[in-house]
Amino acid sequence: SQGSRRVYILDEAHMFSASAFNALLKTIEEPPPHALFVFCTTDLSKVLPTVRSRCQTFLFARPRLPELTRLLRRVADGEGLDVPDAALSIVARSARGSFRDAVSTLDQVAAATEGAISVQAVLQLLGTVEEDALFRLCDLIIDRDTPGLLALVEELAEQGQDLARFVVELLEHLRHLLLVQHLDDVP
C-alpha cells in the first residue's frame, strides 16, 4: 500500500472466460502507469491470443531431480538430519518436480522417524515399492512365471502396498530400463 506501483496477480488465468478477458483488454492495452498485471497459468493455449499478444511471456520449467536432491541435502544438513543420499533421491522423485512437496515430504519423514531417516523409512512412509521388488517382478515376467508373479503381487498387497501406485512405479521402472538399454549416457 505504500509503494509507487501496484502488482495484480491473476492466478489460473486460463480459467477466465472470453468475456472476462475482453473486459480486461482495454486495461491491458493501456495500463495505468502504476499498475503491473501478472497472469499465471498452467495452460497458456487457453489464454486468448489477443491477450497473449499484449503480454510478455515467461515459461517456467519444473526443477530436475538433481536440483531437488541438492535442495533436500541442504535442508537436511541445515536441520542436522542424518539422511542417506538414496533416501533423499526417493523423496525428490516422489515430489514430481515440486520444491514445496519435496521439503514437506522430508519434514514429514523426519517427524515420523524422529530424525533417524533411512531408505526403508522413506519407502514405507511414501508407500513406495522397493526397487528390488520391481526387478523381481520384471524377472518373473521375463521367465513367464505367472504363479510367482501372482504370489509377488499378493505379497505386496499383504504388506499394504497401494497397487495402483505400484503400477505407476512399475511403468516408470520399465521406462528407466528402456533408457539404460538404449542410451549411452543415462540421464
Side-chain angles (χ1 to χ4, degrees), residues 3-28:
S4 61
R5 293 197 176 258
R6 298 282 188 269
V7 178
Y8 298 95
I9 299 173
L10 305 167
D11 198 12
E12 301 292 339
H14 60 275
M15 300 294 287
F16 287 14
S17 67
S19 319
F21 271 127
N22 286 328
L24 279 172
L25 204 50
K26 179 71 173 163
T27 307
I28 295 169

PDB file of all heavy atoms in Angstrom, residues 3-28:
ATOM      1  N   GLY A   3       3.940   1.452  -1.713  1.00  0.00           N
ATOM      2  CA  GLY A   3       4.794   1.508  -2.892  1.00  0.00           C
ATOM      3  C   GLY A   3       4.196   2.378  -3.979  1.00  0.00           C
ATOM      4  O   GLY A   3       3.014   2.748  -3.952  1.00  0.00           O
ATOM      5  N   SER A   4       5.028   2.695  -4.958  1.00  0.00           N
ATOM      6  CA  SER A   4       4.564   3.546  -6.060  1.00  0.00           C
ATOM      7  C   SER A   4       3.876   2.726  -7.153  1.00  0.00           C
ATOM      8  O   SER A   4       3.283   3.290  -8.061  1.00  0.00           O
ATOM      9  CB  SER A   4       5.747   4.309  -6.646  1.00  0.00           C
ATOM     10  OG  SER A   4       6.710   3.391  -7.155  1.00  0.00           O
ATOM     11  N   ARG A   5       3.963   1.428  -7.063  1.00  0.00           N
ATOM     12  CA  ARG A   5       3.337   0.556  -8.078  1.00  0.00           C
ATOM     13  C   ARG A   5       2.377  -0.428  -7.421  1.00  0.00           C
ATOM     14  O   ARG A   5       2.533  -0.777  -6.259  1.00  0.00           O
ATOM     15  CB  ARG A   5       4.391  -0.225  -8.843  1.00  0.00           C
ATOM     16  CG  ARG A   5       5.273   0.639  -9.704  1.00  0.00           C
ATOM     17  CD  ARG A   5       5.980  -0.235 -10.728  1.00  0.00           C
ATOM     18  NE  ARG A   5       6.764   0.586 -11.613  1.00  0.00           N
ATOM     19  CZ  ARG A   5       6.373   0.910 -12.829  1.00  0.00           C
ATOM     20  NH1 ARG A   5       5.234   0.484 -13.302  1.00  0.00           N
ATOM     21  NH2 ARG A   5       7.135   1.647 -13.592  1.00  0.00           N
ATOM     22  N   ARG A   6       1.438  -0.884  -8.209  1.00  0.00           N
ATOM     23  CA  ARG A   6       0.503  -1.918  -7.767  1.00  0.00           C
ATOM     24  C   ARG A   6       0.699  -3.122  -8.687  1.00  0.00           C
ATOM     25  O   ARG A   6       0.701  -2.970  -9.912  1.00  0.00           O
ATOM     26  CB  ARG A   6      -0.948  -1.456  -7.878  1.00  0.00           C
ATOM     27  CG  ARG A   6      -1.289  -0.263  -7.036  1.00  0.00           C
ATOM     28  CD  ARG A   6      -1.477  -0.684  -5.572  1.00  0.00           C
ATOM     29  NE  ARG A   6      -1.984   0.410  -4.783  1.00  0.00           N
ATOM     30  CZ  ARG A   6      -1.217   1.275  -4.148  1.00  0.00           C
ATOM     31  NH1 ARG A   6       0.083   1.185  -4.219  1.00  0.00           N
ATOM     32  NH2 ARG A   6      -1.752   2.241  -3.442  1.00  0.00           N
ATOM     33  N   VAL A   7       0.857  -4.283  -8.088  1.00  0.00           N
ATOM     34  CA  VAL A   7       1.015  -5.514  -8.861  1.00  0.00           C
ATOM     35  C   VAL A   7      -0.236  -6.349  -8.638  1.00  0.00           C
ATOM     36  O   VAL A   7      -0.595  -6.669  -7.498  1.00  0.00           O
ATOM     37  CB  VAL A   7       2.267  -6.302  -8.421  1.00  0.00           C
ATOM     38  CG1 VAL A   7       2.384  -7.595  -9.206  1.00  0.00           C
ATOM     39  CG2 VAL A   7       3.518  -5.464  -8.605  1.00  0.00           C
ATOM     40  N   TYR A   8      -0.899  -6.673  -9.732  1.00  0.00           N
ATOM     41  CA  TYR A   8      -2.103  -7.501  -9.680  1.00  0.00           C
ATOM     42  C   TYR A   8      -1.761  -8.862 -10.254  1.00  0.00           C
ATOM     43  O   TYR A   8      -1.412  -8.974 -11.426  1.00  0.00           O
ATOM     44  CB  TYR A   8      -3.239  -6.856 -10.473  1.00  0.00           C
ATOM     45  CG  TYR A   8      -3.644  -5.506  -9.922  1.00  0.00           C
ATOM     46  CD1 TYR A   8      -3.112  -4.331 -10.448  1.00  0.00           C
ATOM     47  CD2 TYR A   8      -4.529  -5.418  -8.859  1.00  0.00           C
ATOM     48  CE1 TYR A   8      -3.472  -3.100  -9.927  1.00  0.00           C
ATOM     49  CE2 TYR A   8      -4.893  -4.185  -8.339  1.00  0.00           C
ATOM     50  CZ  TYR A   8      -4.360  -3.032  -8.878  1.00  0.00           C
ATOM     51  OH  TYR A   8      -4.706  -1.808  -8.362  1.00  0.00           O
ATOM     52  N   ILE A   9      -1.856  -9.895  -9.421  1.00  0.00           N
ATOM     53  CA  ILE A   9      -1.544 -11.252  -9.856  1.00  0.00           C
ATOM     54  C   ILE A   9      -2.865 -11.975 -10.082  1.00  0.00           C
ATOM     55  O   ILE A   9      -3.674 -12.127  -9.166  1.00  0.00           O
ATOM     56  CB  ILE A   9      -0.692 -11.987  -8.803  1.00  0.00           C
ATOM     57  CG1 ILE A   9       0.625 -11.241  -8.596  1.00  0.00           C
ATOM     58  CG2 ILE A   9      -0.431 -13.426  -9.251  1.00  0.00           C
ATOM     59  CD1 ILE A   9       1.482 -11.785  -7.468  1.00  0.00           C
ATOM     60  N   LEU A  10      -3.067 -12.405 -11.307  1.00  0.00           N
ATOM     61  CA  LEU A  10      -4.288 -13.118 -11.679  1.00  0.00           C
ATOM     62  C   LEU A  10      -3.903 -14.574 -11.910  1.00  0.00           C
ATOM     63  O   LEU A  10      -3.350 -14.937 -12.953  1.00  0.00           O
ATOM     64  CB  LEU A  10      -4.906 -12.496 -12.937  1.00  0.00           C
ATOM     65  CG  LEU A  10      -5.168 -10.985 -12.800  1.00  0.00           C
ATOM     66  CD1 LEU A  10      -5.465 -10.366 -14.148  1.00  0.00           C
ATOM     67  CD2 LEU A  10      -6.304 -10.744 -11.847  1.00  0.00           C
ATOM     68  N   ASP A  11      -4.180 -15.401 -10.919  1.00  0.00           N
ATOM     69  CA  ASP A  11      -3.797 -16.812 -10.976  1.00  0.00           C
ATOM     70  C   ASP A  11      -4.837 -17.613 -11.753  1.00  0.00           C
ATOM     71  O   ASP A  11      -6.002 -17.234 -11.830  1.00  0.00           O
ATOM     72  CB  ASP A  11      -3.654 -17.356  -9.562  1.00  0.00           C
ATOM     73  CG  ASP A  11      -2.863 -18.653  -9.504  1.00  0.00           C
ATOM     74  OD1 ASP A  11      -2.231 -19.018 -10.520  1.00  0.00           O
ATOM     75  OD2 ASP A  11      -2.861 -19.287  -8.440  1.00  0.00           O
ATOM     76  N   GLU A  12      -4.406 -18.727 -12.307  1.00  0.00           N
ATOM     77  CA  GLU A  12      -5.273 -19.611 -13.101  1.00  0.00           C
ATOM     78  C   GLU A  12      -5.953 -18.826 -14.219  1.00  0.00           C
ATOM     79  O   GLU A  12      -7.163 -18.959 -14.457  1.00  0.00           O
ATOM     80  CB  GLU A  12      -6.318 -20.298 -12.213  1.00  0.00           C
ATOM     81  CG  GLU A  12      -5.718 -21.146 -11.099  1.00  0.00           C
ATOM     82  CD  GLU A  12      -4.977 -22.386 -11.582  1.00  0.00           C
ATOM     83  OE1 GLU A  12      -5.234 -22.842 -12.722  1.00  0.00           O
ATOM     84  OE2 GLU A  12      -4.134 -22.888 -10.832  1.00  0.00           O
ATOM     85  N   ALA A  13      -5.177 -18.024 -14.917  1.00  0.00           N
ATOM     86  CA  ALA A  13      -5.724 -17.146 -15.959  1.00  0.00           C
ATOM     87  C   ALA A  13      -6.401 -17.922 -17.088  1.00  0.00           C
ATOM     88  O   ALA A  13      -7.290 -17.395 -17.756  1.00  0.00           O
ATOM     89  CB  ALA A  13      -4.616 -16.262 -16.532  1.00  0.00           C
ATOM     90  N   HIS A  14      -6.010 -19.171 -17.280  1.00  0.00           N
ATOM     91  CA  HIS A  14      -6.654 -19.964 -18.341  1.00  0.00           C
ATOM     92  C   HIS A  14      -8.124 -20.257 -18.026  1.00  0.00           C
ATOM     93  O   HIS A  14      -8.868 -20.672 -18.905  1.00  0.00           O
ATOM     94  CB  HIS A  14      -5.887 -21.273 -18.575  1.00  0.00           C
ATOM     95  CG  HIS A  14      -5.819 -22.151 -17.361  1.00  0.00           C
ATOM     96  ND1 HIS A  14      -4.848 -21.996 -16.398  1.00  0.00           N
ATOM     97  CD2 HIS A  14      -6.611 -23.168 -16.948  1.00  0.00           C
ATOM     98  CE1 HIS A  14      -5.031 -22.891 -15.445  1.00  0.00           C
ATOM     99  NE2 HIS A  14      -6.102 -23.612 -15.758  1.00  0.00           N
ATOM    100  N   MET A  15      -8.536 -20.006 -16.799  1.00  0.00           N
ATOM    101  CA  MET A  15      -9.921 -20.255 -16.418  1.00  0.00           C
ATOM    102  C   MET A  15     -10.827 -19.053 -16.717  1.00  0.00           C
ATOM    103  O   MET A  15     -12.050 -19.159 -16.617  1.00  0.00           O
ATOM    104  CB  MET A  15     -10.010 -20.596 -14.921  1.00  0.00           C
ATOM    105  CG  MET A  15      -9.218 -21.824 -14.512  1.00  0.00           C
ATOM    106  SD  MET A  15      -9.863 -23.329 -15.247  1.00  0.00           S
ATOM    107  CE  MET A  15     -11.346 -23.527 -14.312  1.00  0.00           C
ATOM    108  N   PHE A  16     -10.236 -17.919 -17.079  1.00  0.00           N
ATOM    109  CA  PHE A  16     -11.039 -16.737 -17.387  1.00  0.00           C
ATOM    110  C   PHE A  16     -11.863 -16.996 -18.641  1.00  0.00           C
ATOM    111  O   PHE A  16     -11.399 -17.617 -19.585  1.00  0.00           O
ATOM    112  CB  PHE A  16     -10.152 -15.525 -17.647  1.00  0.00           C
ATOM    113  CG  PHE A  16      -9.506 -14.938 -16.421  1.00  0.00           C
ATOM    114  CD1 PHE A  16      -9.466 -15.611 -15.211  1.00  0.00           C
ATOM    115  CD2 PHE A  16      -8.925 -13.687 -16.482  1.00  0.00           C
ATOM    116  CE1 PHE A  16      -8.861 -15.073 -14.096  1.00  0.00           C
ATOM    117  CE2 PHE A  16      -8.314 -13.131 -15.367  1.00  0.00           C
ATOM    118  CZ  PHE A  16      -8.290 -13.823 -14.169  1.00  0.00           C
ATOM    119  N   SER A  17     -13.062 -16.488 -18.652  1.00  0.00           N
ATOM    120  CA  SER A  17     -13.902 -16.598 -19.850  1.00  0.00           C
ATOM    121  C   SER A  17     -13.448 -15.562 -20.870  1.00  0.00           C
ATOM    122  O   SER A  17     -12.720 -14.620 -20.547  1.00  0.00           O
ATOM    123  CB  SER A  17     -15.370 -16.369 -19.489  1.00  0.00           C
ATOM    124  OG  SER A  17     -15.539 -15.022 -19.078  1.00  0.00           O
ATOM    125  N   ALA A  18     -13.881 -15.732 -22.110  1.00  0.00           N
ATOM    126  CA  ALA A  18     -13.564 -14.756 -23.163  1.00  0.00           C
ATOM    127  C   ALA A  18     -14.102 -13.381 -22.773  1.00  0.00           C
ATOM    128  O   ALA A  18     -13.435 -12.362 -22.994  1.00  0.00           O
ATOM    129  CB  ALA A  18     -14.147 -15.214 -24.492  1.00  0.00           C
ATOM    130  N   SER A  19     -15.278 -13.348 -22.153  1.00  0.00           N
ATOM    131  CA  SER A  19     -15.855 -12.068 -21.716  1.00  0.00           C
ATOM    132  C   SER A  19     -14.984 -11.395 -20.676  1.00  0.00           C
ATOM    133  O   SER A  19     -14.788 -10.172 -20.712  1.00  0.00           O
ATOM    134  CB  SER A  19     -17.240 -12.273 -21.110  1.00  0.00           C
ATOM    135  OG  SER A  19     -17.992 -13.197 -21.813  1.00  0.00           O
ATOM    136  N   ALA A  20     -14.447 -12.183 -19.749  1.00  0.00           N
ATOM    137  CA  ALA A  20     -13.592 -11.622 -18.704  1.00  0.00           C
ATOM    138  C   ALA A  20     -12.318 -11.040 -19.312  1.00  0.00           C
ATOM    139  O   ALA A  20     -11.879  -9.951 -18.942  1.00  0.00           O
ATOM    140  CB  ALA A  20     -13.253 -12.679 -17.667  1.00  0.00           C
ATOM    141  N   PHE A  21     -11.727 -11.782 -20.251  1.00  0.00           N
ATOM    142  CA  PHE A  21     -10.519 -11.279 -20.907  1.00  0.00           C
ATOM    143  C   PHE A  21     -10.825 -10.015 -21.709  1.00  0.00           C
ATOM    144  O   PHE A  21     -10.054  -9.061 -21.696  1.00  0.00           O
ATOM    145  CB  PHE A  21      -9.904 -12.333 -21.817  1.00  0.00           C
ATOM    146  CG  PHE A  21      -8.915 -13.218 -21.114  1.00  0.00           C
ATOM    147  CD1 PHE A  21      -9.038 -14.593 -21.172  1.00  0.00           C
ATOM    148  CD2 PHE A  21      -7.845 -12.680 -20.403  1.00  0.00           C
ATOM    149  CE1 PHE A  21      -8.118 -15.413 -20.548  1.00  0.00           C
ATOM    150  CE2 PHE A  21      -6.926 -13.501 -19.769  1.00  0.00           C
ATOM    151  CZ  PHE A  21      -7.062 -14.861 -19.833  1.00  0.00           C
ATOM    152  N   ASN A  22     -11.952 -10.019 -22.407  1.00  0.00           N
ATOM    153  CA  ASN A  22     -12.315  -8.837 -23.195  1.00  0.00           C
ATOM    154  C   ASN A  22     -12.530  -7.621 -22.294  1.00  0.00           C
ATOM    155  O   ASN A  22     -12.207  -6.497 -22.667  1.00  0.00           O
ATOM    156  CB  ASN A  22     -13.554  -9.111 -24.053  1.00  0.00           C
ATOM    157  CG  ASN A  22     -13.221 -10.005 -25.231  1.00  0.00           C
ATOM    158  OD1 ASN A  22     -12.108  -9.951 -25.756  1.00  0.00           O
ATOM    159  ND2 ASN A  22     -14.165 -10.835 -25.635  1.00  0.00           N
ATOM    160  N   ALA A  23     -13.062  -7.851 -21.103  1.00  0.00           N
ATOM    161  CA  ALA A  23     -13.256  -6.744 -20.163  1.00  0.00           C
ATOM    162  C   ALA A  23     -11.909  -6.185 -19.693  1.00  0.00           C
ATOM    163  O   ALA A  23     -11.775  -4.985 -19.457  1.00  0.00           O
ATOM    164  CB  ALA A  23     -14.081  -7.213 -18.971  1.00  0.00           C
ATOM    165  N   LEU A  24     -10.895  -7.050 -19.605  1.00  0.00           N
ATOM    166  CA  LEU A  24      -9.569  -6.621 -19.172  1.00  0.00           C
ATOM    167  C   LEU A  24      -8.724  -6.049 -20.304  1.00  0.00           C
ATOM    168  O   LEU A  24      -7.720  -5.383 -20.055  1.00  0.00           O
ATOM    169  CB  LEU A  24      -8.808  -7.813 -18.575  1.00  0.00           C
ATOM    170  CG  LEU A  24      -9.111  -8.193 -17.149  1.00  0.00           C
ATOM    171  CD1 LEU A  24      -8.410  -9.502 -16.796  1.00  0.00           C
ATOM    172  CD2 LEU A  24      -8.654  -7.103 -16.195  1.00  0.00           C
ATOM    173  N   LEU A  25      -9.115  -6.322 -21.529  1.00  0.00           N
ATOM    174  CA  LEU A  25      -8.290  -5.998 -22.691  1.00  0.00           C
ATOM    175  C   LEU A  25      -7.897  -4.521 -22.743  1.00  0.00           C
ATOM    176  O   LEU A  25      -6.733  -4.194 -22.962  1.00  0.00           O
ATOM    177  CB  LEU A  25      -9.002  -6.417 -23.977  1.00  0.00           C
ATOM    178  CG  LEU A  25      -8.116  -6.678 -25.174  1.00  0.00           C
ATOM    179  CD1 LEU A  25      -6.978  -7.614 -24.843  1.00  0.00           C
ATOM    180  CD2 LEU A  25      -8.934  -7.251 -26.313  1.00  0.00           C
ATOM    181  N   LYS A  26      -8.832  -3.636 -22.537  1.00  0.00           N
ATOM    182  CA  LYS A  26      -8.550  -2.196 -22.600  1.00  0.00           C
ATOM    183  C   LYS A  26      -7.519  -1.816 -21.534  1.00  0.00           C
ATOM    184  O   LYS A  26      -6.584  -1.062 -21.793  1.00  0.00           O
ATOM    185  CB  LYS A  26      -9.853  -1.400 -22.412  1.00  0.00           C
ATOM    186  CG  LYS A  26      -9.669   0.089 -22.430  1.00  0.00           C
ATOM    187  CD  LYS A  26      -9.337   0.575 -23.823  1.00  0.00           C
ATOM    188  CE  LYS A  26      -9.346   2.103 -23.809  1.00  0.00           C
ATOM    189  NZ  LYS A  26      -8.681   2.666 -24.930  1.00  0.00           N
ATOM    190  N   THR A  27      -7.681  -2.369 -20.333  1.00  0.00           N
ATOM    191  CA  THR A  27      -6.753  -2.077 -19.242  1.00  0.00           C
ATOM    192  C   THR A  27      -5.365  -2.643 -19.547  1.00  0.00           C
ATOM    193  O   THR A  27      -4.351  -2.018 -19.228  1.00  0.00           O
ATOM    194  CB  THR A  27      -7.282  -2.671 -17.919  1.00  0.00           C
ATOM    195  OG1 THR A  27      -8.618  -2.209 -17.722  1.00  0.00           O
ATOM    196  CG2 THR A  27      -6.427  -2.265 -16.750  1.00  0.00           C
ATOM    197  N   ILE A  28      -5.323  -3.817 -20.178  1.00  0.00           N
ATOM    198  CA  ILE A  28      -4.040  -4.421 -20.523  1.00  0.00           C
ATOM    199  C   ILE A  28      -3.350  -3.626 -21.634  1.00  0.00           C
ATOM    200  O   ILE A  28      -2.134  -3.445 -21.610  1.00  0.00           O
ATOM    201  CB  ILE A  28      -4.238  -5.892 -20.963  1.00  0.00           C
ATOM    202  CG1 ILE A  28      -4.756  -6.728 -19.801  1.00  0.00           C
ATOM    203  CG2 ILE A  28      -2.936  -6.481 -21.466  1.00  0.00           C
ATOM    204  CD1 ILE A  28      -5.217  -8.105 -20.207  1.00  0.00           C
TER     205      ILE A  28
END
